[in-house]
Amino acid sequence: MRYLFRPPGTDGAALLALPWHQPLEEWDPSLLLEVPQRGISRHVVRFVAEQGKVFALKEIAEPLARHEYALLGEFEEEGLPAVSVLGICVDRPDGQDAILVTRYLEYSMSYRYLFSRPSARQSVDQLTDTLVVLLVRLHLAGIFWGDCSLSNTLFRLDAGALAAHLVDAETAERHPQLSRGQRHYDLDLARERVGAELLDLQAGELLPRGVDPIEVADSLPVRYDRLWEEITHEEVFRAEEQRYRVAERLQRLNDLGFDVGEVELVTSDEGARLRVETRVSAPGQHRRELFRLTGLEVQENQARRLLNDLRTYRAYLEQKTGAPVSEAVAGAQWLAEVYQPVIDAIPPDLVGRLAPAEVFHEVLEHRWFLSEQAGRDVGTTAAAKSYLRTVLPATPEELTTPSVIARRP
């Protein structure tokens, strides 16, 4: 047998003692981790935990495993929203398929969970739009998915919104650029698969009343075309409008979740023509800023919300001391005196229900709600106590992320 692992090698080394010579279906259950909220796969998939980290193992034909291993590695380097690949095991005895190893996407949710139990925060429209954003990102990167479906997608909460991540890339193809025909063929495949998956949920009485599977599936091309047009079209405007119209367009793209690369402005008799090159990587301005100030690694919307609270706290410190407070000092104090006490207060039996940054975001939302009721600012400490007592316990236990389950005695 041969193993190939991507850096850091320590993650791969921790898995070497597993019985790779045996078919995954025959592995001792004591070696495996039961993931409460897993999706459906046409391949044999098992989960293992080592050193507090969770990995997904998928048995698949070697050519497909090598193809997916290479593509997922490229996606990660480019910042595309996909699972992180760790390695593959090939040349297994008796002609067995290869095993592809990926890192479990922490705090992720399957479509079966989200569609069967939509909350006020995640409507069916929001889920559909999130899938469309993922497909557009991939197409901008020249990636023909070939198997875009809800089953091959995982969703994560990001400050109340949702972010979609590709899970399965075995049918994906990389091109310098996709033609309109390639994009729409991929979109047609997605529409068919999503419709079939929702009909399956409906047959199992897991789809909420009032949700029409065909209507949802048929809305995909409409939503896709609207987003694609928004992020790729050229605009023409008068010279005197140039400054604010360019800024307005760039802000609109950022709000949609796309970074802006090269901006080309061509002037002519008819006005200024704006062409924007849209980056396909996940936007990272707020994530990078929060990491610089606090060392926290979170998602983009979460980072934006936490930065707003940090800046408010910095203004409070300056008002309190009557002197300027540096970003670095404010970041360190906010982390120690505001953020960490909230996270440390989470009861042990509720740890892992939501990502820590998502908990803090929800505490801020709860603070606003309580302050509106009280007619005054109740403060983060009081809001956290109330949230941890009344709101977080209502978060379903099956959402607890597997790495937390693996660390429990």
Side-chain angles (χ1 to χ4, degrees), residues 37-40 81-83 105 108-115 127-128 130-135 138 145 147-156 162-169 190 194 197:
Q37 220 255 95
R38 58 171 295 177
I40 297 175
V83 293
L105 187 64
S108 62
M109 296 171 281
S110 71
Y111 83 95
R112 294 182 70 85
Y113 177 83
L114 286 169
F115 271 92
L127 291 167
T128 311
T130 304
L131 180 63
V132 166
V133 170
L134 173 60
L135 189 58
L138 296 174
W145 193 347
D147 198 10
C148 175
S149 64
L150 294 165
S151 298
N152 290 334
T153 309
L154 284 174
F155 301 87
R156 285 203 295 185
L162 285 171
H165 297 255
L166 175 148
V167 178
D168 195 318
V194 169
E197 288 166 327

Side-chain angles (χ1 to χ4, degrees), residues 88-282:
I88 51 175
C89 176
V90 296
D91 294 340
R92 298 171 70 214
D94 303 320
Q96 294 181 70
D97 284 342
I99 295 180
L100 179 75
V101 184
T102 56
R103 296 175 177 88
Y104 185 83
L105 187 64
E106 297 290 347
Y107 298 101
S108 62
M109 296 171 281
S110 71
Y111 83 95
R112 294 182 70 85
Y113 177 83
L114 286 169
F115 271 92
S116 62
R117 297 185 62 175
S119 69
R121 293 174 297 180
Q122 297 95 46
S123 67
V124 171
D125 282 344
Q126 186 183 6
L127 291 167
T128 311
D129 282 338
T130 304
L131 180 63
V132 166
V133 170
L134 173 60
L135 189 58
V136 168
R137 283 192 188 284
L138 296 174
H139 286 177
L140 285 170
I143 298 160
F144 175 84
W145 193 347
D147 198 10
C148 175
S149 64
L150 294 165
S151 298
N152 290 334
T153 309
L154 284 174
F155 301 87
R156 285 203 295 185
L157 283 171
D158 185 8
L162 285 171
H165 297 255
L166 175 148
V167 178
D168 195 318
E170 64 188 69
T171 60
E173 300 173 3
R174 195 74 190 259
H175 301 273
Q177 187 175 352
L178 294 184
S179 67
R180 186 180 186 280
Q182 287 173 313
R183 291 190 296 105
H184 279 264
Y185 179 51
D186 212 9
L187 186 57
D188 284 343
L189 293 174
R191 181 178 59 81
E192 292 174 6
R193 285 162 170 72
V194 169
E197 288 166 327
L198 296 184
L199 284 170
D200 180 60
L201 286 185
Q202 188 180 62
E205 298 184 349
L206 295 175
L207 203 62
R209 291 180 180 177
V211 176
D212 185 331
I214 303 304
E215 186 177 299
V216 173
D218 285 344
S219 75
L220 281 173
V222 178
R223 297 168 191 268
Y224 175 95
D225 288 339
R226 187 168 57 221
L227 179 58
W228 185 266
E229 169 66 16
E230 175 63 33
I231 66 176
T232 60
H233 78 278
E234 294 184 355
E235 291 184 81
V236 178
F237 41 80
R238 298 190 301 273
E240 60 268 25
E241 300 175 320
Q242 177 176 320
R243 183 172 180 178
Y244 80 88
R245 289 285 297 276
V246 171
E248 184 182 73
R249 175 75 189 283
L250 300 186
Q251 184 59 54
R252 202 159 63 240
L253 290 173
N254 287 153
D255 291 343
L256 287 169
F258 291 84
D259 271 355
V260 174
E262 183 180 79
V263 175
E264 180 182 68
L265 197 63
V266 180
T267 57
S268 65
D269 292 340
E270 60 179 323
R273 183 179 297 276
L274 174 68
R275 185 187 67 80
V276 175
E277 176 194 304
T278 308
R279 297 179 191 264
V280 295
S281 59

